[in-house]
Amino acid sequence: MYRYDEFDATFVRQRVKQFRGQVERRAAGELSEDEFRPLRLMNGLYLQLHAYMLRVAVPYGTLSARQMRKLAFIADSYDRGYGHFTTRQNIQYNWPRLPDVPDILGHLAEVEMHAIQTSGNCIRNVTADHWAGVAADEVEDPRPYAELMRQWSSLHPEFSFLPRKFKIAVTGSQADRAAIRYHDIGLRLKKNTQGEAGFEVFVGGGMGRTPMLAARVRDWLARDDLLTYLEAIMRVFNLHGRRDNKYKARIKILVHALGAEEFSAQVEEEFARTGAPRIMPGEGELKRIAAYFAPPGYDALRDDDPALALRLEKHKDFAGWVERNVSAHGVPGYAIVNISLKPIGGIPGDASADQMRAVADLAESFSLDEIRISHEQNLVLPNVRKRDLFAVWLSLGEHGLADANIGLASDIIACPGLDYCGLATARSIPVAQDISKRLGEPARQREIGDMKIKISGCINACGHHHAGHIGILGLEKRGREYYQITLGGSGDESASVGEIIGPGFSSENLSGAVETIVDTYVELRQNGETFLEAYRRVGPEPFKEAVYATH
Amino acid sequence: MAKKTTGLHALTGNLLADGRVVFLAINGGWSDSLDIARLARGENDAAELEAEGAEAVRANVIVDPYLVEVEVGQGQLVPVELRERMRIRGPSVNLEFNSRPNGQAAIAA
Ligand code: SF4
């Protein structure tokens, strides 16, 4: 795991001190709210509907037990005993008090964490595949490059006042678990025939009111050109991005307006112009960063475990959990454990301080001290020996964390919506709870199979509804919430944008409409087709007919 | 056609220290209850409320004050807009946590 060097540590400590001074000056009236607002936002502090909200970055979604314990400590000491994990691998605290925030940031700095660049028109927390470094299908761990990009983009003077916020995601697998085509820049790490590392580069994806999939601008970018090429992209964006219109300022609009080809040509021109001096650090520095992500000390194990086979046979609930929540690891005898933060009828992504501590303990005892946050608002123990799976499952169960629903209908992404968010037009959490209760009966959701339901409380689409197999967007009309349904979206390697099926639904009718869609799929599917496969075969019509006939 | 309004407004803002939702009260203080909010019935009243809000901003008590349209519904004052109703009510979920005060010390007390 990456450890701060003296420069990082000093920089973060100084930043805490600086913010403490700013908060004091604000309280004393020396700074007005207009002066203070951009300063607090640069430190991840928002003012939401009912209170301040602090958004803390979890770079590329990787945490140690010590860091997770600190997050729990902050939840208990300065908030209300819980936190919310977001679709950008961050954690949000919903109730911090302004005078406490410098102390909170001080505690975070002790464990090499901060809230810098979790807001504002800058390059935000770089996200990565939550199975990075351990997935069986991975070419190479993308996190050293994510860390490199974090260092490059932190407080980069040229990219601190971009036309709009900017999000980068990176994966090292063909299977896309980081939704790279929905990012401003998406990178897929790959190797050429000589075994050298490089990237496939996508630019101009995004959610929001104008959802777009990123266009591929480079099939191959040599590893050593990464930062120079990214700078070329950022410069073209900085130069031509629509600063005059907030709704047209994201890079996706520019790529669309110019056309991917012309955009790409301009980037290549800039890249050629700035090619020297190269800004990529030397081999020594790359190796230094990569060493922090070197595989931990795995035991040499057989891949099969006889005791595990027995437990699977005797404990059906355990077997069901293994089937849904445990994934293939690249090292024999190990497995990836996905911990669902989606209890039936619960709040997607919320974890209590006790649960955070329980996960930290498990990480220490059973996962070589590593935890991941997924963009689907779940947690991951990436390094569990197969022989320990049963013990881990039992322990998770004691803390309400053993729901066997990863990738099923109740594994719903939902943004905070109008229960917390100042920009929301409707609530999203109660909608998620309703649907989860309606479809969450274990046998029922297993029968439905892979299903991604994603809910946003406004057009900003933080709940990734455009990428939902079933997407739900909360809106408001004459003081009442109503919900628009989209179908056929996907955030994986076969990415697509969901299509609106027709007029919206009231909160009372929504979960029924979703159930009708699901029932229609179950009826029309052929040969074990997933929902997405069936939808792509038959299109929206059968679903529309069924839904609007009954709701 | 102009939107029909109730012509009744209260002044709201968030406390600087903890962001809590408050309303300018009849006694001149700030309250989290709309019940005792000072109400404006016309443009002049509204301007007076806004002036008080601006003063409270200068005094570093509240941030971002604005007028909220309210109506009488089921025997009490309620905001007309959904967003404002949610601001008063607090989150409709997570009640176990959201009724708690912040911080360990407060929990223990
Ligand atoms: S989608 Fe809208 S409501 Fe949901 S978190 Fe984002 S801004 Fe808030």
Side-chain angles (χ1 to χ4, degrees):
Chain A
M1 193 163 303
Y2 187 72
R3 299 298 308 256
Y4 282 3
D5 59 16
E6 198 40 48
F7 176 86
D8 294 316
T10 308
F11 161 64
V12 173
R13 270 201 310 272
Q14 282 174 346
R15 186 65 180 251
V16 173
K17 193 167 159 219
Q18 183 189 47
F19 190 57
R20 190 180 298 281
Q22 290 162 347
V23 169
E24 281 165 9
R25 285 161 63 207
R26 175 71 187 101
E30 290 165 26
L31 288 175
S32 70
E33 186 60 18
D34 283 346
E35 288 162 332
F36 181 63
R37 188 182 300 111
L39 301 175
R40 70 166 157 74
L41 287 173
M42 280 180 208
N43 288 285
L45 188 64
Y46 289 71
L47 182 56
Q48 292 285 38
L49 272 191
H50 319 290
Y52 289 100
M53 179 273 280
L54 181 67
R55 180 181 295 155
V56 177
V58 180
Y60 32 87
T62 300
L63 282 177
S64 66
R66 176 168 156 263
Q67 290 173 317
M68 185 63 115
R69 278 201 195 97
K70 187 63 94 176
L71 296 180
F73 166 80
I74 291 168
D76 266 343
S77 306
Y78 298 100
D79 209 272
R80 295 187 177 175
Y82 72 105
H84 176 74
F85 290 100
T86 76
T87 53
R88 296 222 71 251
Q89 298 178 314
N90 297 313
I91 181 170
Q92 295 182 174
Y93 294 105
N94 291 311
W95 306 97
R97 298 173 64 254
L98 179 59
D100 291 338
V101 175
D103 290 342
I104 298 175
L105 297 179
H107 285 295
L108 289 170
E110 283 170 18
V111 295
E112 305 176 344
M113 295 181 76
H114 60 69
I116 300 165
Q117 288 184 207
T118 58
S119 169
N121 293 336
C122 54
I123 299 177
R124 303 285 188 90
N125 185 29
V126 175
T127 54
D129 180 357
H130 46 274
W131 295 349
V134 295
D137 63 351
E138 186 173 271
V139 172
E140 192 181 316
D141 188 345
R143 290 174 304 162
Y145 302 102
E147 172 55 29
L148 183 67
M149 288 186 275
R150 185 191 71 78
Q151 295 188 15
W152 160 74
S153 63
S154 291
L155 262 54
H156 194 308
E158 198 178 336
F159 309 132
S160 293
F161 297 96
L162 295 168
R164 267 308 254 139
K165 58 186 167 183
F166 204 91
K167 300 175 181 179
I168 302 176
V170 54
T171 179
S173 300
Q174 192 58 34
D176 182 2
R177 290 174 289 266
I180 61 170
R181 295 202 56 205
Y182 272 108
H183 281 76
D184 295 294
I185 295 179
L187 298 168
R188 176 181 287 126
L189 190 53
K190 56 195 220 178
K191 293 226 163 129
N192 65 12
T193 44
Q194 287 86 52
E196 297 159 339
F199 297 90
E200 197 175 349
V201 184
F202 296 88
V203 181
M207 303 264 180
R209 67 181 61 227
T210 323
M212 285 183 189
L213 297 180
R216 181 167 40 208
V217 295
R218 265 290 187 116
D219 189 47
W220 175 259
L221 176 72
R223 183 199 70 167
D224 290 347
D225 289 333
L226 176 65
L227 294 186
T228 316
Y229 195 80
L230 293 185
E231 285 215 353
I233 296 173
M234 302 308 296
R235 286 200 174 137
V236 172
F237 176 47
N238 234 344
L239 197 60
H240 300 302
R242 292 279 306 269
R243 287 175 192 270
D244 61 318
N245 184 340
K246 185 177 164 195
Y247 301 116
K248 297 194 169 163
R250 293 292 290 266
I251 197 172
K252 62 189 173 187
I253 305 290
L254 178 64
V255 174
H256 191 73
L258 290 176
E261 223 165 283
E262 170 59 21
F263 175 83
S264 166
Q266 292 199 18
V267 171
E268 292 296 337
E269 197 180 317
E270 180 65 22
F271 177 60
R273 201 177 64 77
T274 57
R278 308 253 150 192
I279 48 169
M280 195 77 174
E283 196 60 34
E285 175 64 3
L286 288 179
K287 282 211 171 108
R288 185 189 74 84
I289 295 176
Y292 288 110
F293 300 93
Y298 291 116
D299 295 333
L301 300 172
R302 283 175 47 164
D303 200 39
D304 56 335
D305 182 70
L308 174 64
L310 185 73
R311 308 261 198 222
L312 287 170
E313 198 165 318
K314 289 190 81 155
H315 299 271
K316 291 294 161 222
D317 285 353
F318 172 58
W321 176 79
V322 168
E323 190 192 326
R324 286 312 311 187
N325 292 36
V326 175
S327 310
H329 196 289
V331 175
Y334 283 83
I336 301 170
V337 167
N338 301 285
I339 303 172
S340 167
L341 290 183
K342 318 288 174 66
I344 306 305
I347 298 178
D350 273 18
S352 69
D354 288 343
Q355 288 176 321
M356 291 183 218
R357 272 186 291 268
V359 171
D361 291 348
L362 284 171
E364 232 162 33
S365 307
F366 296 111
S367 180
L368 301 173
D369 198 21
E370 261 199 59
I371 302 156
R372 306 288 177 82
I373 316 299
S374 81
H375 84 271
E376 297 194 317
Q377 300 179 289
N378 292 314
L379 303 180
V380 179
L381 295 173
N383 292 311
V384 178
R385 294 190 299 189
K386 286 186 178 174
R387 68 165 75 141
D388 294 331
L389 285 172
F390 191 63
V392 168
W393 174 71
L394 286 174
S395 181
L396 287 171
E398 285 167 18
H399 296 94
L401 290 168
D403 287 85
N405 60 350
I406 294 289
L408 293 178
S410 62
D411 184 7
I412 298 171
I413 289 185
C415 76
L418 194 52
D419 281 299
Y420 293 99
C421 178
L423 300 172
T425 38
R427 282 173 293 173
S428 35
I429 298 170
V431 167
Q433 291 175 311
D434 264 7
I435 297 172
S436 157
K437 283 188 226 153
R438 202 178 257 265
L439 302 175
E441 197 274 315
R444 170 102 161 107
Q445 48 177 344
R446 271 204 306 280
E447 189 222 344
I448 299 165
D450 288 347
M451 168 68 73
K452 294 196 188 294
I453 301 175
K454 308 192 184 202
I455 308 168
S456 305
C458 82
I459 194 69
N460 288 323
C462 305
H464 292 187
H465 66 276
H466 298 299
H469 299 170
I470 300 178
I472 296 167
L473 166 62
L475 296 163
E476 190 243 83
K477 206 188 319 181
R478 287 188 221 101
R480 291 182 69 82
E481 294 155 298
Y482 78 101
Y483 297 86
Q484 209 170 57
I485 294 183
T486 50
L487 294 181
S490 167
D492 66 13
E493 59 283 4
S494 71
S496 53
V497 177
E499 298 164 297
I500 298 171
I501 58 164
F505 300 86
S506 67
S507 11
E508 295 79 38
N509 287 340
L510 178 66
S511 63
V514 170
E515 186 165 35
T516 304
I517 290 167
V518 168
D519 288 341
T520 308
Y521 150 66
V522 170
E523 249 168 63
L524 62 73
R525 70 178 160 195
Q526 294 174 358
N527 314 319
E529 274 174 334
T530 62
F531 178 86
L532 199 57
E533 287 161 352
Y535 179 82
R536 285 174 178 171
R537 176 173 58 81
V538 302
E541 283 315 316
F543 299 98
K544 282 189 190 174
E545 268 168 37
V547 166
Y548 293 106
T550 45
H551 296 280
Chain B
M1 195 177 76
K3 211 169 125 189
K4 211 175 125 197
T5 62
T6 61
L8 215 52
H9 291 88
L11 188 80
T12 187
N14 294 76
L15 289 182
L16 171 64
D18 59 9
R20 212 159 44 148
V21 175
V22 287
F23 297 88
L24 179 63
I26 287 180
N27 66 6
W30 293 88
S31 163
D32 46 19
S33 163
L34 189 54
D35 283 353
I36 58 167
R38 198 170 135 190
L39 298 176
R41 287 183 178 75
E43 272 178 30
N44 288 346
D45 282 2
E48 269 181 40
L49 258 57
E50 284 181 314
E52 295 228 15
E55 190 48 45
V57 168
R58 272 192 294 277
N60 303 308
V61 176
I62 61 157
V63 293
D64 301 341
Y66 58 92
L67 290 168
V68 170
E69 192 183 0
V70 296
E71 62 188 350
V72 179
Q74 296 180 339
Q76 58 177 359
L77 285 171
V78 283
V80 172
E81 301 286 335
L82 173 66
R83 180 179 190 276
E84 295 306 324
R85 291 202 297 273
M86 288 298 297
R87 273 182 82 239
I88 290 196
R89 169 183 172 173
S92 62
V93 296
N94 230 344
L95 303 177
E96 188 222 334
F97 291 114
N98 290 340
S99 53
R100 277 190 205 176
N102 299 8
Q104 256 167 0
I107 290 169

